Amino acid sequence: MNTEKYVVLNGTDSSLVIELMEAGAPLWRYWGQRLGENFSLGSPLLETRPTPGFSMDETVAFSIFPTFGNGWFAHSALLAHRAGRDFAQDFDSCEWEWIEIGKSVRFLLTDKVAAIKASVMMALDGDTLTISSSLQNIGDDILDVQWLAAAALPLAATSRSVHSFSGKHNSEFQHQSDTLGRAIWRKENRRGLTSHDAFPGAYVQAEAMTYGAQFAWSGNHAQMIEWLDDGRYQWQIGEWLAPGEVRLAPGETFQSPEVLATCSTNGHNGVAKNFHAAIRKRLKWPGDEMKPRPVHLNTWEGYYFDHDQTALIALADAASGVGIERFVMDDGWFNGRDDDSRALGDWWADTGKYPDGLAPLADHVVALDMEFGLWVEPEMVNPDSELFRAHPDWVLQIEGRPLKTARNQLVLDLSRDEVTDYLFESIAKLLGDLPISYLKWDHNRDLSAAGGADGRPSYHKQVEAAYGLFDRFRRAFPEVEIEACAGGGGRIDAGIVQHAHRFWTSDCIDAVSRAQMQPGFLQFMPPEIMGSHIGTSPTHSTGRLQSFDFRAAVALQGHFGVEFDLVKLGEKEKARLAEWIAFYKKSRHLLHDEVSSGKGDDGMIWHAAGNAEEWLLIVYQMTPVTHRHMPSVRLPFLDRERHYNISRIDQEFKPVDRILFDGSWLMEVGMPVPPMMAERATIFHGCRHEL
Ligand code: DGJ
């Protein structure tokens, strides 16, 4: 194999080929299904490409870091200038080195004229590529950077549609499908945190391949897919930078966040499987190992701000009685926090609600053998708080402009050490004094005019400082797990995954809405970190009524929990809840293994979880059936060469009606499903059978 001209990265089922150039940035030649073991590389791209009419005499092909003003007319990976000069970049040299042979590589590109160095780092693990870039100013003056793509990825010419996820508070992960053509597909987020509106990732459907990418960053971002004049597409993802946000002084470097990218011949579920493996490697569990995900109780929708120590102690008793393992006390516990208009920043217990502090409740919870978790929102402050009255200058602001609140709150400038020291010390005191093993870390507003103390945009700095604060807590309290929440799913991404252990998917716990949102979450993230609770009926966010069993069957897709006032539950319902909890506990090793999902016919959707030997399948009938006969459900996640025994799980959670099936039959013809009314679920248990 000619290894001098090409850099080849081979994954389990995919390969990447990069062609080295004598000078300049290496070219993207291939990203797709794994090439044969001893394949020989074809001829260099430019040797096989005659120059078309009205073209540069030296054509510029798609490189791993395309730049503007050198004959590349598509979007460039960099937009930068030096007071209007050095607006065009062209690399005169490329050095490269293996970090791990065949697995990870670094390219270092130098442009002596524009006085910049760019580096691109790629690592392929399994079939997920982690890619990032950095830019160094080697000139004598400031370099203004407007765009630095973390990745510019090549997509096959057969790419047809892009599937992205948008939404809003209470309605996250809404699937959008757009046809790819010759206009640029572009999606941007300028909300300062990951956002409910624009998940920083997507998947692209090509003829025989599905590509996926997601940005590991909890701030502003932009992604675009552009048709190239050789028929391929480029997919760029990077941080959206505010004007003037990145101005590199001589010698300074700007490092992009990472992009995780993958491709699979097994459709969107194949992409999800690769992402789940990659995200699981990024998670940092206490003790380096995830313990079985404990059943949660969260007080929010049951109690809101209406805290009463005696009532919460009774709630803890009821929770422990049905098998709950973690009791999370949500908003409303701290100094004067009777509604959302005040007290953020004053991180000590409200003496009216908790005359002896939080210890009596926390100790009671722990004595019942449950973990005690506490809600905080460190990055925020209410103007009506002791903290703001003492330090009005601590918030992100622009001199001369009014402070604009959202949910009555302002954002603290985390890039200031005195701010993070205060937050760390006040919350660490609670963690040190009380048996707290879990924090639910909320963030309930977008950043608007995020000016720092120097009057410059502080979006990037804010995200880095937030990560730093998470890590400071993690270092000081390594046993404490953290749930990332931002009004539900406003901060879910592969960046914060390295600092937290669970996401609150959405403030909407309506099971019909959740059954539509959760597959979007699971497209990028594994199920064990997806907070999914049984809520009340009627649902607080939508007013819809749903049966208890349906709500529970939808909550089963993720990290299972309960969010209503258990004390008010009748004995029959309490017993039913205890049965669901027992079933979750028995099944969580499968529920939190490999998952896939799909749509059947006539309003049916399915969710499968488990492994090659044993799995659970949950079939949901979302709308009233219109067919006389229930359609069979095809199960593409199986092995067509194997056989499976499948049983239905009955009302008592016992397997019944076992039938032996052939894998290929289940994949192509499908499994019969019993009649179901709308908003009902049926669970099946499958296991491999050796004939
Ligand atoms: C928004 C979260 O998403 C809710 O679950 C709850 O924690 C509230 N904030 C509390 O203010």
Side-chain angles (χ1 to χ4, degrees):
M1 200 191 304
N2 180 359
T3 47
E4 284 152 35
K5 281 231 167 242
Y6 297 92
V7 171
V8 179
L9 298 177
N10 278 322
T12 316
D13 293 318
S14 60
S15 298
L16 279 110
V17 182
I18 291 157
E19 182 181 325
L20 298 163
M21 304 296 284
E22 253 165 50
L27 305 183
W28 272 122
R29 291 303 305 273
Y30 180 71
W31 181 32
Q33 197 166 359
R34 195 180 155 127
L35 299 167
E37 222 26 79
N38 295 311
F39 71 94
S40 54
L41 293 152
S43 20
L45 184 70
L46 298 187
E47 280 177 18
T48 58
R49 253 190 190 185
T51 304
F54 205 87
S55 293
M56 307 296 289
D57 290 331
E58 259 179 51
T59 51
V60 178
F62 181 31
S63 79
I64 59 166
F65 195 87
T67 46
F68 174 71
N70 62 347
W72 174 252
F73 297 106
H75 207 286
S76 96
L78 176 68
L79 291 173
H81 64 94
R82 219 181 278 283
R85 300 177 66 85
D86 293 336
F87 62 94
Q89 297 87 25
D90 199 3
F91 298 107
D92 26 67
S93 74
C94 169
E95 291 158 49
W96 71 279
E97 56 170 350
W98 285 116
I99 297 164
E100 189 186 338
I101 292 176
K103 291 287 162 208
S104 55
V105 60
R106 183 186 293 119
F107 300 92
L108 183 63
L109 307 163
T110 307
D111 174 352
K112 289 201 202 94
V113 177
I116 56 163
K117 276 182 193 261
S119 87
V120 178
M121 158 81 202
M122 296 183 202
L124 188 62
D125 185 7
D127 285 307
T128 302
L129 176 73
T130 302
I131 175 167
S132 63
S133 66
S134 73
L135 179 72
Q136 190 188 10
N137 177 9
I138 53 169
D140 298 329
D141 315 308
I142 284 182
L143 184 75
D144 274 294
V145 183
Q146 188 188 327
W147 171 247
L148 173 69
L153 299 162
L155 301 179
T158 58
S159 298
R160 290 293 167 259
S161 55
V162 51
H163 301 256
S164 62
F165 294 85
S166 70
K168 66 171 188 73
H169 175 233
N170 271 331
S171 189
E172 292 82 343
F173 290 106
Q174 301 301 311
H175 181 189
Q176 301 297 320
S177 163
D178 295 304
T179 303
L180 289 174
R182 295 200 180 190
I184 294 181
W185 177 88
R186 186 172 180 96
K187 214 157 157 61
E188 293 183 353
N189 164 47
R190 290 175 285 276
R191 291 181 179 270
L193 79 164
T194 322
S195 89
H196 301 83
D197 308 49
F199 180 82
Y203 67 90
V204 169
Q205 197 55 59
E207 205 168 79
M209 185 57 76
T210 310
Y211 297 94
Q214 56 175 318
F215 194 35
W217 183 244
S218 310
N220 294 329
H221 57 258
Q223 51 173 333
M224 46 136 295
I225 299 176
E226 182 184 30
W227 185 81
L228 301 178
D229 58 11
D230 63 5
R232 290 183 292 175
Y233 289 83
Q234 67 158 330
W235 188 355
Q236 288 198 10
I237 305 181
E239 192 177 348
W240 184 91
L241 300 171
E245 184 163 10
V246 176
R247 310 193 73 216
L248 295 180
E252 263 185 353
T253 298
F254 181 60
Q255 171 66 51
S256 83
E258 292 172 335
V259 168
L260 307 187
T262 191
C263 62
S264 170
T265 50
N266 290 324
H268 73 95
N269 280 320
V271 165
K273 183 176 166 186
N274 295 344
F275 276 150
H276 294 177
I279 295 289
R280 282 174 175 148
K281 289 193 179 156
R282 292 171 86 85
L283 285 159
K284 295 173 187 145
W285 296 104
D288 293 332
E289 206 184 336
M290 183 189 86
K291 62 180 185 193
R293 298 295 72 214
V295 182
H296 265 226
L297 175 123
N298 183 291
T299 60
W300 182 239
E301 287 209 352
Y303 289 80
Y304 290 109
F305 297 102
D306 193 11
H307 284 218
D308 171 86
Q309 185 174 288
T310 315
L312 289 180
I313 284 179
L315 177 66
D317 291 336
S320 132
V322 293
I324 280 165
E325 298 165 308
R326 182 183 275 159
F327 180 101
V328 183
M329 182 154 77
D330 212 283
D331 197 354
W333 59 267
F334 48 100
N335 184 43
R337 182 71 169 173
D338 296 330
D339 54 41
D340 66 14
S341 70
R342 62 177 71 89
L344 285 174
D346 299 348
W347 298 115
W348 55 89
D350 182 84
T351 46
K353 297 173 187 173
Y354 299 98
D356 301 313
L358 300 181
L361 176 62
D363 291 344
H364 187 78
V365 166
V366 172
L368 290 167
D369 212 17
M370 291 185 292
E371 294 178 27
F372 182 70
L374 193 67
W375 179 95
V376 288
E377 195 177 355
E379 291 139 288
M380 300 293 157
V381 65
N382 288 118
D384 184 2
S385 66
E386 294 191 19
L387 179 66
F388 185 77
R389 281 186 280 277
H391 301 287
D393 58 316
W394 279 11
V395 296
L396 290 171
Q397 56 192 294
I398 293 179
E399 207 185 327
R401 294 198 187 278
L403 294 172
K404 288 194 178 169
T405 53
R407 206 195 189 206
N408 310 305
Q409 59 200 54
L410 298 166
V411 186
L412 290 166
D413 181 354
L414 294 197
S415 68
R416 296 171 67 153
D417 288 346
E418 61 275 34
V419 176
T420 45
D421 284 348
Y422 165 77
L423 294 170
F424 178 75
E425 279 152 26
S426 51
I427 296 168
K429 174 151 177 40
L430 294 159
L431 289 165
D433 291 350
L434 298 163
I436 298 172
S437 47
Y438 189 78
L439 283 180
K440 179 177 172 187
W441 185 313
D442 215 337
H443 182 299
N444 280 301
R445 62 160 290 176
D446 297 324
L447 273 54
S448 49
D454 56 1
R456 296 194 39 214
S458 208
Y459 298 92
H460 179 91
K461 282 189 195 159
Q462 185 75 1
V463 177
E464 287 207 318
Y467 289 164
L469 189 58
F470 273 82
D471 289 347
R472 194 163 164 191
F473 281 109
R474 305 254 344 252
R475 278 194 303 277
F477 303 95
E479 298 309 317
V480 172
E481 288 188 18
I482 303 181
E483 172 172 9
C485 172
R491 186 156 61 176
I492 298 173
D493 60 80
I496 201 158
V497 144
Q498 294 178 304
H499 312 275
H501 307 96
R502 189 192 205 241
F503 292 116
W504 183 224
T505 316
S506 174
D507 275 352
C508 174
I509 329 181
D510 176 308
V512 171
S513 308
R514 277 301 190 102
Q516 279 144 4
M517 283 181 221
Q518 289 176 182
F521 179 104
L522 294 170
Q523 184 59 52
F524 303 95
M525 300 285 159
E528 63 272 22
I529 59 172
M530 178 174 78
S532 53
H533 296 174
I534 310 177
T536 43
S537 180
T539 305
H540 292 192
S541 49
T542 65
R544 283 195 285 214
L545 287 133
Q546 287 136 4
S547 73
F548 189 86
D549 282 353
F550 183 66
R551 284 179 276 149
V554 172
L556 218 53
Q557 291 183 358
H559 180 179
F560 192 77
V562 173
E563 190 162 335
F564 54 80
D565 186 0
L566 262 185
V567 178
K568 292 207 188 97
L569 222 55
E571 282 314 309
K572 232 171 105 191
E573 272 187 309
K574 223 183 247 175
R576 189 69 186 145
L577 173 60
E579 284 172 6
W580 273 103
I581 289 177
F583 182 67
Y584 163 77
K585 287 181 181 170
K586 200 175 98 189
S587 315
R588 54 190 157 193
H589 67 291
L590 298 175
L591 292 166
H592 299 160
D593 201 340
E594 283 182 10
V595 299
S596 46
S597 63
K599 282 193 174 137
D601 297 325
D602 204 17
M604 190 191 283
I605 58 177
W606 58 267
H607 173 93
N611 51 59
E613 303 298 317
E614 187 189 4
W615 38 267
L616 288 175
L617 171 76
I618 316 177
V619 177
Y620 305 91
Q621 182 61 38
M622 302 305 294
T623 50
V625 287
T626 61
H627 297 9
R628 191 174 295 265
H629 303 285
M630 291 292 286
S632 296
V633 58
R634 282 187 306 262
L635 306 178
F637 62 94
L638 298 176
D639 184 338
R640 63 175 56 243
E641 305 301 327
R642 304 282 177 194
H643 293 82
Y644 299 91
N645 274 315
I646 303 185
S647 311
R648 183 170 60 80
I649 303 293
D650 74 2
Q651 278 288 301
E652 271 94 56
F653 294 97
K654 294 209 182 72
V656 293
D657 307 337
R658 192 171 81 174
I659 306 180
L660 178 64
F661 286 100
D662 172 88
S664 60
W665 180 270
L666 289 169
M667 290 172 80
E668 306 303 341
V669 182
M671 186 186 74
V673 173
M676 276 195 272
M677 294 174 82
E679 297 175 15
R680 295 288 188 277
T682 306
I683 305 180
F684 298 89
H685 175 263
C687 56
R688 216 172 95 175
H689 178 83
E690 290 303 336
L691 282 183

